Amino acid sequence: MKEVVNKKRSLLKETEELLNKQIEMEGRSSAAYLSMASWCEMRGYLKSAEFLYEHSEEERMHMLKLFHYINDAGGHARQPEISGIKHDFDTLKEVFEDILGHEIAVTRSINSLVDHCLGVKDYATFNFLQWYVMEQREEETIARRALELFDIIGIDGIGLWTIDQEMAKLHQESEG
Ligand code: OFO
């Protein structure tokens, strides 16, 4: 029985472990963005909340893609334990600073996975990961542009309200 299982496996154990770590990162992104969405909604930043609720769903989809890839290749995708999610923020800007920091960390993780795949000549997984490489490029850009709004518009007067409205446009762009 064991041999039959091994014959089905096209992933190295080490690659499987790294992909499972990436699952954990995507799950953490989803949980973090859900928490941020809730904070924004509670504070009345409704466009930012909408953007983040949806972003949380997208991160879950990123996680599920990895689940299916690992299992289809004969590995075992594991539901990660996720704790330590931040629930409180001092400002709306802090939310978007955290998002950028988070996305940069995810990009580094994807890049090191890609490096690993090249090193072990796993070209199928390398190819699969290219979708994540491009997705990270887009997500970092959106996070940077969101932060720029705070500098361009400023937070005085109706500044914060305007920034929140602008998040709806960024949201549309990220979908388009
Ligand atoms: Fe999964 O793209 Fe952001 O973290």
Side-chain angles (χ1 to χ4, degrees):
M1 183 62 189
K2 212 167 186 182
E3 223 171 275
V4 175
V5 171
N6 283 342
K7 275 181 189 164
K8 282 188 179 172
R9 164 182 284 284
S10 60
L11 269 185
L12 288 175
K13 203 68 192 149
E14 195 189 345
T15 309
E16 180 184 340
E17 291 297 322
L18 291 171
L19 289 169
N20 266 305
K21 282 200 181 129
Q22 192 60 39
I23 281 184
E24 204 265 345
M25 274 203 116
E26 303 294 342
R28 182 164 291 282
S29 303
S30 179
Y33 296 159
L34 185 57
S35 177
M36 289 171 181
S38 174
W39 184 89
C40 287
E41 189 172 38
M42 175 194 75
R43 292 296 178 112
Y45 301 126
L46 300 183
K47 300 293 181 194
S48 302
E50 207 177 300
F51 171 66
L52 286 162
Y53 276 122
E54 199 157 308
H55 205 132
S56 169
E57 280 299 313
E58 281 173 21
E59 296 296 352
R60 181 174 156 74
M61 182 272 281
H62 300 174
M63 181 177 77
L64 289 178
K65 271 171 90 87
L66 284 155
F67 262 78
H68 297 310
Y69 183 80
I70 294 172
N71 289 337
D72 285 348
H76 184 179
R78 294 170 197 277
Q79 164 64 41
E81 298 291 335
I82 293 171
S83 60
I85 296 299
K86 186 169 163 183
H87 299 290
D88 290 305
F89 305 86
D90 287 335
T91 59
L92 182 62
K93 188 176 183 189
E94 185 183 319
V95 169
F96 285 93
E97 283 168 346
D98 283 6
I99 292 172
L100 180 58
H102 190 81
E103 290 302 334
I104 289 171
V106 173
T107 299
R108 288 196 182 128
S109 172
I110 292 286
N111 287 348
S112 82
L113 240 176
V114 169
D115 273 351
H116 162 82
C117 291
L118 273 184
V120 299
K121 296 186 171 25
D122 181 348
Y123 300 118
T125 307
F126 172 87
N127 199 35
F128 165 73
L129 289 171
Q130 296 315 299
W131 182 87
Y132 289 85
V133 170
M134 295 319 292
E135 182 69 13
Q136 281 312 118
R137 166 62 64 88
E138 188 185 304
E139 292 198 347
E140 271 194 39
T141 301
I142 296 281
R144 288 199 165 86
R145 288 185 57 199
L147 271 179
E148 274 167 16
L149 292 174
F150 290 86
D151 295 332
I152 295 166
I153 299 172
I155 59 167
D156 296 334
I158 61 163
L160 272 177
W161 180 85
T162 311
I163 289 169
D164 188 51
Q165 297 300 307
E166 289 293 318
M167 292 305 169
K169 289 186 199 153
L170 275 184
H171 185 183
Q172 272 172 359
E173 277 176 37
S174 73
E175 288 184 318

